[in-house]
């Protein structure tokens, strides 16, 4: 059955018309009747139960009471005049207060008549009172009033057109009554049965008009399940179809490159976690299937060497590799690190970024297509269409957790015969629910062990007023041979002010840490790559002891001798950013420090962020807190273009529903990846509707 009724433009609904239609589109993103039905309440008012005055406590929220009025009085003069009525339900007495409509209300308050009162108690002195409660005679109450009432997001512009919460509710009632009985199911009968879901139509009805909290919960479960299900189904299909159709190059040989490196170049024994991950990777690479693996490991856990050994396997088997980093600085640092680790091993590698000179680029591209270049490092530039490999066997993607499904699809075109293996590495620990949503189509390996000898970084919070003490400490550290980062925030929106701040800070540091004893570098994103590069190198070579920078040094930069990370305006950084920054120190054998400096006034969220940092260095705990504070939208990037949208589902809170929805999706994908079966017709239709026009691996085979 088609969904044409749900797709009808919102203007055509009775009671809408062009003007309301426009404000609904603009303000609420409601274009169709279906959109309106998906405009879910953001909370409910529970009028199904009664409270007693005795049980009221400060966090109770709204209450509904039943009782009688003892007496009332009108107190105060003129503008301060108010009506105070004393209300009792037998368990206690409380004051109900009105500042307006005093005469009209006072006439309603007949003694010995039972009333129902609804409102939010406030504490005044030591007593509770409710200002302007809703008031109704108990005898007047009809069954329809005792409900679980939805409350919708509105706003000035919607309200001006009569679309406050009640107005929206009225429209939804009209819409539902027009199309009831014609809303098609979108899941299979089997799933609805197995997971005891409400049919879609009932869910849409009850999410707006629940008779009880239980109704509301069932409806919300069904709707969230469905949202998660389709996202997971897409990922699961990609995975299954890939596994069944994509051949990966087989790296069965462990050759000279790998062996020589392992036996005589590797500067340290691998940690247990690194060994385990190498085994997982080697198993994939020998399987004949294409590897799609996410390697998660906290900052400093040693992912680079794992990537390098994987690349050596590819090279041993006659394949080329690409290694992608998010910024030029990182790419070139990786270049140095890898070249250093490889030493005189006969591996030819090159760096390709946006600023590679034309002649050099031409040279690199030629070597690549002829196959004489083994390993290409770079930024996104390595995936441009003009870059063609002779036999690309492996792509390593470092530190880009926004490298989503669509971008990964591009890799397929690089070697159509055998699809390159993909290893995505990230040090940003991702909460499980997010990982399932972003990377649900990947297998996951985790390095959960830091190399031996690392001491946890001591983290403290200092106010700006304590700067002098911080300076003293930094001097001590530098005099004992250490290096220091000082990081300033720089965000696009306030770039000018931020940059000015950074330079002010830089100048102050140059004053307070005078040459020749102290030398200071500065790096920020607005400098030319060449200048950045030069400053970075000076710091790496210990020609400077203090590196003043923006978050360009956030990811990947590795200077083991740096032992102090000072973060200015720490209150302005997000948690995962703070964690990343802290990960830049604590890499050597010395005790390291992270000093979070903030202004005197902190928002509640900022306090939580700073406290979390001072308390723990567990990346996963930090990531979970981050998810709770910011919500998934912020973390995924503003509404991932083209990906399915979560309207009701919440990755921070609905992990359980996500997991059952994933289970259902995996089963469908395994049984019928093409969604051809008659039992999956309704799923197929909805799937096509949601993911219209998006890349689909289904066709790649
Ligand atoms: P990340 O996982 O953050 O990318 P790196 O790969 O940059 O971490 O490794 C951090 C540091 O730890 C590097 O200096 C690296 O040489 C070192 N390292 C990696 N593995 C080990 C190990 N098994 N033992 C000792 N040091 C190691
Ligand atoms: Mg790294």
């Amino acid at each position: 059955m088609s969904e044409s009724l749900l797709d009808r433009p919102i203007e055509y609904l009775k009671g809408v018309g062009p003007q309301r239609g426009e404000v609904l589109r603009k303000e609420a993103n409601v274009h169709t009747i279906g959109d309106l039905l998906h405009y879910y309440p953001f909370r409910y008012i529970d009028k199904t139960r009664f409270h007693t005055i005795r049980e009221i406590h400060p966090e109770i929220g709204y209450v509904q009471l039943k009782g009688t009025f003892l007496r009332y009085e009108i107190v105060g003069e003129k503008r301060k005049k108010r009506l105070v009525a004393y209300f009792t339900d037998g368990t206690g007495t409380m004051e109900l207060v009105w500042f307006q409509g005093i005469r009209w209300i006072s006439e309603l308050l007949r003694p010995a008549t039972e009333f129902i009162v609804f409102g939010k108690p406030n504490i005044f002195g030591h007593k509770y009172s409710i200002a302007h409660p809703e008031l109704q005679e108990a005898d007047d109450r009809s069954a329809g009033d005792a409900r679980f009432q939805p409350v919708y997001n509105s706003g000035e512009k919607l309200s001006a057109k009569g679309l406050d919460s009640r107005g929206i509710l009225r429209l939804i009632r009209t819409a539902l009554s027009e199309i009831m009985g014609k809303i098609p199911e979108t899941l299979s009968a089997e799933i609805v049965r197995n997971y005891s879901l409400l049919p879609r139509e009932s869910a849409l009805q009850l999410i707006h008009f629940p008779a009880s909290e239980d109704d509301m919960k069932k409806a919300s479960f069904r709707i969230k399940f469905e949202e998660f299900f389709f996202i997971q189904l897409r990922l699961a299909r990609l995975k299954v179809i890939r596994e069944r159709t994509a051949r990966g190059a087989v790296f069965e040989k462990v050759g000279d490159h790998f062996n020589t490196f392992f036996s005589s170049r590797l500067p340290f024994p691998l940690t247990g976690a690194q060994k385990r991950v190498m085994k997982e990777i080697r198993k994939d690479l020998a399987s004949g299937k294409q590897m799609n693996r996410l390697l998660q490991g906290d900052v400093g856990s040693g992912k680079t060497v794992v990537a390098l050994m994987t690349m050596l396997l590819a090279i041993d088997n006659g394949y080329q590799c690409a290694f992608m980093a998010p910024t030029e600085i990182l790419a070139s640092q990786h270049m140095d690190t890898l070249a250093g680790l490889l030493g005189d091993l006969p591996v030819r590698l090159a760096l390709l970024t946006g600023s590679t000179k034309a002649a050099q680029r031409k040279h690199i591209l030629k070597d690549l297509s002829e196959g004489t270049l083994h390993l290409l490092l770079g930024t996104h530039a390595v995936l441009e269409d003009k870059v063609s490999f002779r036999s690309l066997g492996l792509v390593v993607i470092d530190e880009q957790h926004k490298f989503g499904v669509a971008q990964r699809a591009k890799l397929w075109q690089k070697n159509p015969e055998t699809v390159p293996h993909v290893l995505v590495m990230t040090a940003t620990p991702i909460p499980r629910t997010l990982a399932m949503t972003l990377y649900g189509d990947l297998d996951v390996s985790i390095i959960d062990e830091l190399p031996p000898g690392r001491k946890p970084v001591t983290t403290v919070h200092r106010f700006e007023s304590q700067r002098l003490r911080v300076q003293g400490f930094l001097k001590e550290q530098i005099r004992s041979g250490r290096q220091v980062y000082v990081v300033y925030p720089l965000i696009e929106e306030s770039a000018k002010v931020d940059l000015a701040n950074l330079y002010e800070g830089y100048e102050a540091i140059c004053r307070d840490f005078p040459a020749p004893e102290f030398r200071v570098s500065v790096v920020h994103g607005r400098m030319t790559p060449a200048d950045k590069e030069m400053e970075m190198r000076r710091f790496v070579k210990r020609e400077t002891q203090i590196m003043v920078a923006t978050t360009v040094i956030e990811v990947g930069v590795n200077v083991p001798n740096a032992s102090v990370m000072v973060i200015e305006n720490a209150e302005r950084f997000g948690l995962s950013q703070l964690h990343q920054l802290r990960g830049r120190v604590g890499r050597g054998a010395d005790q390291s420090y992270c000093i979070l400096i903030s202004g005197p006034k902190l928002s509640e969220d900022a306090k939580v962020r700073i406290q979390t940092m001072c308390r723990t260095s567990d990346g996963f705990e930090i990531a979970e807190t981050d998810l709770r504070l910011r919500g998934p939208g912020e973390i995924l990037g503003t509404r991932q273009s083209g990906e399915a949208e979560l309207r009701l589902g919440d990755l921070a809170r609905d992990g359980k529903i996500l997991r059952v929805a994933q289970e259902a999706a995996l089963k469908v994908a395994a049984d019928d990846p093409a969604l051809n079966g008659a039992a999956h017709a309704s799923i197929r239709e909805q799937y096509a509707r949601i993911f219209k026009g998006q890349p689909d691996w289904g066709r790649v085979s």
Side-chain angles (χ1 to χ4, degrees):
M1 189 192 229
S2 101
E3 287 219 320
S4 57
L5 277 173
L6 290 176
D7 289 337
R8 224 174 346 160
I10 191 68
E11 281 92 329
Y12 299 153
L13 183 68
K14 206 164 82 199
V16 178
Q19 282 193 6
R20 282 183 165 181
E22 179 158 330
V23 68
L24 278 168
R25 269 195 303 273
K26 281 210 182 120
E27 298 298 314
N29 201 21
V30 167
H31 299 258
T32 63
I33 301 211
D35 290 340
L36 181 67
L37 294 186
H38 294 147
Y39 196 75
Y40 302 120
F42 74 96
R43 69 181 179 90
Y44 296 84
I45 294 174
D46 184 358
K47 289 198 173 169
T48 61
R49 66 161 293 195
F50 287 95
H51 301 84
T52 60
I53 292 177
R54 192 171 43 206
E55 72 179 316
I56 292 174
H57 57 84
E59 277 90 44
I60 197 163
Y62 285 84
V63 297
Q64 181 168 248
L65 305 167
K66 194 191 278 187
T68 53
F69 286 97
L70 296 171
R71 65 190 170 87
Y72 69 82
E73 60 198 20
I74 294 169
V75 297
E77 292 287 309
K78 298 241 165 91
R79 298 234 308 272
K80 290 193 170 164
K81 200 154 96 173
R82 61 190 190 275
L83 169 64
V84 179
Y86 297 86
F87 183 77
T88 179
D89 66 352
T91 72
T93 303
M94 75 185 299
E95 293 178 13
L96 307 182
V97 185
W98 284 266
F99 299 93
Q100 273 149 27
I102 292 179
R103 233 200 38 226
W104 176 59
I105 301 279
S106 65
E107 281 165 13
L108 294 177
L109 302 183
R110 279 175 287 110
T113 307
E114 200 171 35
F115 281 92
I116 291 168
V117 162
F118 183 86
K120 195 173 180 186
N122 293 310
I123 286 196
F124 242 142
H126 292 290
K127 285 186 297 188
Y128 286 104
S129 65
I130 302 179
H132 283 263
E134 285 178 30
L135 195 63
Q136 188 178 37
E137 272 190 40
D139 287 347
D140 291 349
R141 162 158 295 210
S142 64
D145 296 333
R147 271 196 301 107
F148 215 63
Q149 290 183 352
V151 183
Y152 296 90
N153 265 317
S154 176
E156 221 173 298
K157 288 184 179 145
L158 284 162
S159 293
K161 294 273 180 288
L163 296 176
D164 57 3
S165 177
R166 278 160 190 268
I168 292 169
L169 179 66
R170 222 171 294 132
L171 288 187
I172 290 174
R173 183 179 288 130
T174 311
L176 275 171
S177 69
E178 277 186 17
I179 63 173
M180 224 34 195
K182 297 172 201 152
I183 300 179
E185 183 51 70
T186 42
L187 296 173
S188 68
E190 186 187 338
I191 289 177
V192 170
R193 192 168 56 236
N194 283 354
Y195 293 91
S196 312
L197 301 176
L198 288 179
R200 180 155 179 251
E201 188 163 271
S202 321
L204 287 174
Q205 159 90 27
L206 290 179
I207 195 81
H208 297 291
F209 299 102
S212 65
E213 185 168 3
D214 191 48
D215 276 358
M216 183 276 284
K217 283 194 174 143
K218 281 198 183 118
S220 135
F221 185 89
R222 150 79 211 214
I223 291 167
K224 289 174 176 176
F225 182 101
E226 176 170 343
E227 289 180 351
F228 290 133
F229 173 82
F230 281 101
I231 295 175
Q232 290 301 317
L233 181 60
R234 176 150 183 260
L235 293 164
R237 284 187 68 229
L238 299 180
K239 186 155 193 267
V240 169
I241 291 172
R242 241 177 3 214
E243 280 171 4
R244 292 188 189 173
T245 61
R247 278 186 307 124
V250 181
F251 299 169
E252 57 201 341
K253 206 165 77 191
V254 178
D256 286 348
H257 292 97
F258 185 95
N259 282 330
T260 311
F261 178 78
F262 190 75
S263 58
S264 59
R265 295 292 188 287
L266 190 60
F268 36 68
L270 295 179
T271 62
Q274 284 170 321
K275 283 187 202 150
R276 190 189 64 236
V277 166
M278 268 322 289
K279 268 198 202 126
E280 289 164 358
I281 290 174
R282 283 181 56 182
K283 197 163 156 222
D284 282 357
L285 298 180
S287 70
K289 289 179 186 159
Q290 183 223 3
M291 172 172 78
N292 276 283
R293 194 163 278 281
L294 172 66
L295 176 54
Q296 277 201 63
D298 216 334
V299 273
S301 61
K303 295 183 292 295
T304 316
V305 73
V306 170
L308 176 58
M309 289 168 64
T310 308
M311 294 192 286
L312 291 176
L313 280 175
I315 297 167
D316 272 341
N317 286 273
Y319 287 92
Q320 294 167 297
C321 310
F323 190 124
M324 271 173 57
T327 64
E328 295 196 4
I329 294 190
L330 279 177
S332 72
Q333 226 202 357
H334 274 312
M335 177 80 181
D336 295 346
T337 308
L338 295 183
L341 283 166
L342 288 167
D344 58 0
L345 279 186
V347 170
R348 291 197 52 212
L349 63 172
L351 179 68
L352 183 70
T353 66
S355 51
T356 305
K357 300 259 169 6
Q360 175 76 6
R361 165 181 297 261
K362 213 168 133 193
H363 200 68
I364 292 174
L365 293 186
K366 181 163 165 286
D367 286 355
L368 258 192
S369 60
E370 287 173 358
T372 50
L373 193 61
H374 301 112
L375 166 50
L376 183 65
L377 283 115
T379 50
H380 274 80
V382 305
L383 287 188
E384 279 166 18
D385 294 336
K386 283 161 289 183
V387 181
S388 71
F389 293 77
R390 180 150 179 279
S391 57
L392 180 62
L394 169 70
V395 178
V396 178
I397 300 162
D398 192 24
E399 307 286 10
Q400 312 212 13
H401 68 296
K402 282 179 187 161
F403 198 79
V405 178
Q407 287 96 322
R408 292 201 294 279
K410 249 186 121 161
L411 294 176
W412 286 66
Q413 290 135 29
K414 287 281 155 196
N415 187 347
E417 279 155 50
T418 49
V419 185
H421 298 291
V422 177
L423 183 66
V424 180
M425 306 199 292
T426 176
T428 314
I430 311 171
R432 257 195 74 65
T433 53
L434 271 195
M436 281 165 72
T437 305
L438 273 177
Y439 294 128
D441 61 324
L442 306 187
D443 299 310
V444 179
S445 288
I446 296 179
I447 303 187
D448 51 5
E449 180 186 355
L450 291 179
R454 297 273 169 83
K455 296 197 185 84
V457 179
T458 301
T459 304
V460 295
H461 174 212
R462 295 284 180 264
F463 291 103
E464 273 155 12
S465 53
Q466 298 165 298
R467 192 176 295 284
L468 218 56
R469 268 176 58 198
V470 173
Q471 276 175 10
F473 177 73
L474 297 184
K475 284 185 180 158
E476 246 170 57
Q477 286 286 307
I478 294 171
R479 286 186 178 128
S480 64
R482 305 281 89 79
Q483 287 165 288
V484 172
Y485 294 105
V486 181
V487 175
Y488 284 82
L490 177 67
I491 56 171
E492 262 331 295
E493 293 88 73
S494 53
K496 256 197 181 148
V497 181
D498 284 349
L499 216 52
N501 260 342
L502 171 97
Y503 270 104
E504 223 172 85
Y506 170 64
E507 278 160 21
I509 288 171
C510 291
R511 248 190 342 264
D512 297 330
F513 294 82
E517 187 181 4
F518 303 104
R519 307 245 175 218
V520 188
S521 290
V522 60
V523 169
H524 58 78
R526 296 290 170 95
M527 292 163 70
T528 66
D531 286 349
K532 274 192 256 183
E533 187 76 32
M534 199 181 76
E535 288 285 299
M536 274 309 301
R537 277 191 203 292
R538 294 209 309 145
F539 188 66
V540 173
K541 289 195 204 140
R542 300 205 201 179
E543 291 168 16
T544 60
Q545 296 90 31
I546 302 178
M547 161 66 78
V548 177
T550 57
T551 48
V552 291
I553 60 148
E554 184 180 337
V555 233
V557 172
N558 188 22
V559 181
N561 189 53
S563 66
V564 187
M565 168 64 65
V566 179
I567 303 178
E568 294 281 350
N569 297 117
E571 70 273 27
R572 287 181 53 196
F573 289 88
L575 249 184
S576 69
Q577 240 180 346
L578 290 173
H579 181 61
Q580 283 291 326
L581 286 169
R582 178 168 60 184
R584 299 304 106 213
V585 295
R587 302 187 150 226
D590 308 291
Q591 175 61 53
S592 295
Y593 303 87
C594 175
I595 303 173
L596 306 173
I597 298 185
S598 80
K601 282 216 180 95
L602 295 177
S603 70
E604 280 310 306
D605 277 10
K607 263 184 221 160
V608 174
R609 291 196 294 266
I610 290 177
Q611 282 162 2
T612 305
M613 286 296 293
C614 294
R615 186 186 66 236
T616 181
S617 54
D618 177 342
F620 281 94
E621 185 184 339
I622 288 170
E624 297 284 350
T625 308
D626 193 33
L627 178 62
R628 243 191 14 252
L629 290 179
R630 285 198 296 162
E634 285 269 321
I635 297 178
L636 292 173
T638 39
R639 185 160 298 177
Q640 290 233 305
S641 60
E643 312 270 325
E645 190 183 349
L646 292 172
R647 289 174 193 254
L648 205 57
D650 178 345
L651 290 173
R653 293 204 309 236
D654 298 324
K656 272 194 194 142
I657 308 178
L658 171 57
R659 276 184 272 278
V660 287
Q662 185 192 46
E663 175 192 277
L666 287 172
K667 182 161 187 315
V668 170
D671 293 349
D672 180 17
L675 304 178
N676 279 334
H680 295 145
S682 47
I683 294 179
R684 180 175 60 241
E685 268 194 36
Q686 182 68 0
Y687 186 95
R689 161 187 310 275
I690 298 177
F691 299 112
K692 192 165 44 196
Q694 294 188 40
D696 190 353
W697 273 267
R699 268 175 258 122
V700 175
S701 61

